């Protein structure tokens, strides 16, 4: 199976241009390709996972990735998938976020000896002259055509600022600049970026002639990846200080039955032959598949030692056979009295006991533990700091709740 055929078999490719030429480049390690990342936070999250794994796969096949950090476009904000205008960031915040991204990306991508590049589009976008852009770039974009793009249509009713309207032009210019500076001949992105990416390909051909070689591929990053990157409590981060390795493991351990094999195909580096055998798995075997998924992805982000610790902790926690989808409860400021909350209140507020009297009985009978340690004193209390990483409260053998602050 060729590299490109494997990408298709894993469900990564949604739409392409010039498929035969793309196959030639990817399969023979001749692609210099880029994927863009907007530095809107100081950590990547699992919604970026598909892009990072793809970059790793293609680099392993001899191709050269360019991680493009949107320090310039981040000053504008991408309107795709949004109902309001993105909060403006300072240059200092953007730079800090870029530095954090490179550190996390290095777990996936080898940046040594020019094998991959990380570049910031602020390097060329911030120096552009407005009149120059209007004269040199503006004539190559049709306003009528731009307004038909999905990323703009969905914002028209609520209002699309002229600032955001320029995002397509800036992203298109990125491909043009990367093509000239680094010989970048291919771009990848989410399905909602298709119009922007086609704009880049068209700009190269219009500015540099038909012989200028530029390919475009789009992936299902946003319809699948963004869905994977969100939970009820927000994003699942790759930064261990934001999402602990245990919580990261648990997120993947708790994916829906219908999604587990899809995630294994798209995101892990297990051989397809091994994954295909799992297609017939059902019932308890799907739980095994979820454990495989959770371990492989936690190992990829946090290392094998942390993945093993998270897996052992999860098995110990759920060895009694309770559901893996542990409920959670978030404490409010009013739940604390003089900066602390007692164990009986936690049991009641979490719903593990219906009353303080039953909570008292559970503690006195030795049936309550916090983070694996038995609680024997009904007067035990905890400060707000104790909930920084979440606290696992257990009553009996099968009742758990994660307490958050």
């Amino acid at each position: 199976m060729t590299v490109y055929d494997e990408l298709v078999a894993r469900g990564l490719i949604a739409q392409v241009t010039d498929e035969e030429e793309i196959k030639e480049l990817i399969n023979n390690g001749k692609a210099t390709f880029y994927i863009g990342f907007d530095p809107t936070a100081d950590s990547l999250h699992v919604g970026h996972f598909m892009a990072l794994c793809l970059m790793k796969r293609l680099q392993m096949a001899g191709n050269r990735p360019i991680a493009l950090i949107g320090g310039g476009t981040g000053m504008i904000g991408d309107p795709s998938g949004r109902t309001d205008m993105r909060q403006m960031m300072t240059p200092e915040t953007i730079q800090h976020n870029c530095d954090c991204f490179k550190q996390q990306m290095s777990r996936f991508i080898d940046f040594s000896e020019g094998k991959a590049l990380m570049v910031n589009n602020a390097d060329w976008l911030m120096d552009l002259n407005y009149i120059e852009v209007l004269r040199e770039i503006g004539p190559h974009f049709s306003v009528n055509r731009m307004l038909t793009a999905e990323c703009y249509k969905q914002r028209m009713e609520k209002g699309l600022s002229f600032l955001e309207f320029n995002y397509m032009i800036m992203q298109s210019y990125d491909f043009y600049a990367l093509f000239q500076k680094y010989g970048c001949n291919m771009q990848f992105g989410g399905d909602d970026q298709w119009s922007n990416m086609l704009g880049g390909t068209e700009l190269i051909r219009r500015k540099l002639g038909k012989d200028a070689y530029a390919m475009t591929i789009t992936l299902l990053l946003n319809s699948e990846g963004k869905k994977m990157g969100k939970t009820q409590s927000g994003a699942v981060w790759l930064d261990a200080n934001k999402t602990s390795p245990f919580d990261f493991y648990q997120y993947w351990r708790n994916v829906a039955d219908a999604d587990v094999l899809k995630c294994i195909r798209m995101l892990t580096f297990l051989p397809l032959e091994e994954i295909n055998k799992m297609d017939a798995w059902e019932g308890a075997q799907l739980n095994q598949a979820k454990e495989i998924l959770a371990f492989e992805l936690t190992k990829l982000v946090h290392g094998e030692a942390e993945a093993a610790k998270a897996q052992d902790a999860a098995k110990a926690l759920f060895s009694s056979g309770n559901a893996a989808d542990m409920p959670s409860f978030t404490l409010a400021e009013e739940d604390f009295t003089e900066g602390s909350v007692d164990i009986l209140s936690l049991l009641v507020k979490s719903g593990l006991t219906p009353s303080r009297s039953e909570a008292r009985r559970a503690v006195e009978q030795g049936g309550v533990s916090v983070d694996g340690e038995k609680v024997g004193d009904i007067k035990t209390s905890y400060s707000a700091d104790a909930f920084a990483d979440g606290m696992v409260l257990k009553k009996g053998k099968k009742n758990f709740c994660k307490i958050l602050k």
Side-chain angles (χ1 to χ4, degrees):
M1 181 180 291
T2 67
V3 177
Y4 182 81
D5 288 341
E6 182 173 353
L7 297 182
V8 174
R10 288 183 179 272
L12 294 170
I13 304 297
Q15 191 172 353
V16 302
T17 61
D18 302 311
E19 185 174 52
E20 292 306 313
E21 297 292 347
I22 290 168
K23 287 181 180 180
E24 168 68 18
L25 288 173
I26 287 179
N27 292 338
N28 294 290
K30 297 178 181 178
T32 296
F33 67 95
Y34 94 89
I35 297 180
F37 300 83
D38 273 348
T40 53
D42 59 1
S43 172
L44 298 164
H45 56 71
V46 298
H48 296 112
F49 228 103
M50 192 179 295
L52 295 170
C53 291
L54 175 82
M55 296 173 86
K56 181 178 177 70
R57 286 185 208 282
L58 292 181
Q59 187 180 51
M60 290 168 62
N63 299 287
R64 185 168 73 149
I66 298 176
L68 178 66
I69 306 300
T73 44
M75 301 289 283
I76 296 175
D78 182 1
S80 301
R82 300 184 61 83
T83 57
D84 56 0
M85 198 166 102
R86 179 171 286 159
Q87 186 72 28
M88 291 284 191
M89 294 184 296
T90 65
E92 293 76 19
T93 298
I94 290 174
Q95 184 58 52
H96 171 72
N97 293 351
C98 291
D99 294 339
C100 293
F101 278 18
K102 185 166 187 178
Q103 184 177 2
Q104 292 175 359
M105 286 179 181
S106 294
R107 282 195 170 272
F108 296 80
I109 305 164
D110 181 4
F111 288 100
S112 67
E113 301 175 354
K115 295 174 185 174
L117 300 174
M118 173 173 280
V119 297
N120 189 333
N121 64 12
D123 292 345
W124 52 83
L125 293 181
M126 299 296 282
D127 292 334
L128 288 176
N129 176 279
Y130 184 62
I131 299 299
E132 180 184 353
V133 171
L134 290 179
R135 286 177 56 87
E136 300 297 322
I137 308 301
H140 302 297
F141 288 85
S142 162
V143 171
N144 289 354
R145 209 163 142 197
M146 290 173 71
L147 289 174
T148 64
E150 195 61 37
C151 60
Y152 290 144
K153 284 189 343 189
Q154 60 190 354
R155 284 292 305 279
M156 291 300 289
E157 289 186 8
K158 289 204 170 184
L160 177 71
S161 72
F162 183 70
L163 178 73
E164 295 170 293
F165 188 64
N166 280 267
Y167 191 89
M168 180 185 292
I169 297 175
M170 296 297 95
Q171 184 173 334
S172 299
Y173 192 88
D174 283 342
F175 196 18
Y176 172 69
L178 291 169
F179 179 86
Q180 291 187 296
K181 287 175 176 286
Y182 306 107
C184 180
N185 53 20
M186 191 176 294
Q187 57 179 330
F188 288 76
D191 56 349
D192 64 345
Q193 300 289 309
W194 186 243
S195 296
N196 296 353
M197 294 194 299
L198 289 179
T201 302
E202 186 65 20
L203 179 60
I204 289 174
R205 289 176 176 165
R206 283 174 174 266
K207 290 285 291 179
L208 303 179
K210 292 182 179 179
D211 292 336
Y213 193 70
M215 298 293 113
T216 305
I217 295 183
T218 186
L219 310 182
L220 287 173
L221 283 177
N222 290 30
S223 59
E224 295 292 337
K226 282 192 175 180
K227 181 181 73 174
M228 291 188 293
K230 298 293 183 180
T231 66
Q232 291 181 353
S233 59
V236 176
W237 304 100
L238 305 195
D239 184 343
N241 294 318
K242 289 177 173 287
T243 299
S244 70
F246 174 80
D247 287 336
F248 188 85
Y249 178 96
Q250 282 302 115
Y251 173 76
W252 295 108
R253 175 61 182 80
N254 293 338
V255 300
D257 289 356
D259 292 335
V260 60
L261 291 181
K262 183 192 302 181
C263 290
I264 289 177
R265 276 194 177 85
M266 288 180 171
L267 305 178
T268 76
F269 290 80
L270 296 175
L272 278 173
E273 296 80 3
E274 182 179 337
I275 299 171
N276 290 338
K277 293 176 182 177
M278 300 180 190
D279 283 336
W281 287 11
E282 56 185 21
Q285 288 179 306
L286 287 178
N287 287 330
Q288 182 183 346
K290 292 177 185 181
E291 290 176 358
I292 292 171
L293 172 69
F295 181 83
E296 290 295 324
L297 297 189
T298 306
K299 179 175 70 173
L300 192 60
V301 174
H302 298 293
E304 189 163 4
E306 288 295 335
K309 284 169 57 178
Q311 187 173 65
D312 291 343
K315 287 183 176 179
L317 184 61
F318 302 120
S319 60
S320 54
N322 63 293
D325 189 12
M326 182 166 49
S328 64
F329 176 79
T330 302
L331 293 166
E333 290 296 333
E334 55 266 27
D335 292 323
F336 292 85
T337 302
E338 296 183 355
S340 65
V341 58
D342 63 84
I343 187 66
L344 302 186
S345 296
L346 289 177
L347 286 165
V348 175
K349 291 178 184 296
S350 65
L352 292 180
T353 62
S355 65
R356 287 183 68 87
S357 60
E358 286 207 27
R360 175 192 294 265
R361 190 177 304 114
V363 172
E364 291 176 340
Q365 292 176 351
V368 175
S369 66
V370 168
D371 289 340
E373 295 187 11
K374 187 172 291 187
V375 179
D377 187 352
I378 61 171
K379 295 182 180 179
T380 301
S381 61
Y382 304 90
S383 67
D385 293 342
F387 305 93
D389 295 322
M391 172 190 288
V392 177
L393 180 62
K394 175 183 176 185
K395 182 184 78 71
K397 293 183 177 181
K398 298 184 178 181
N399 300 299
F400 296 82
C401 185
K402 184 162 188 176
I403 312 296
L404 306 164
K405 171 68 171 71

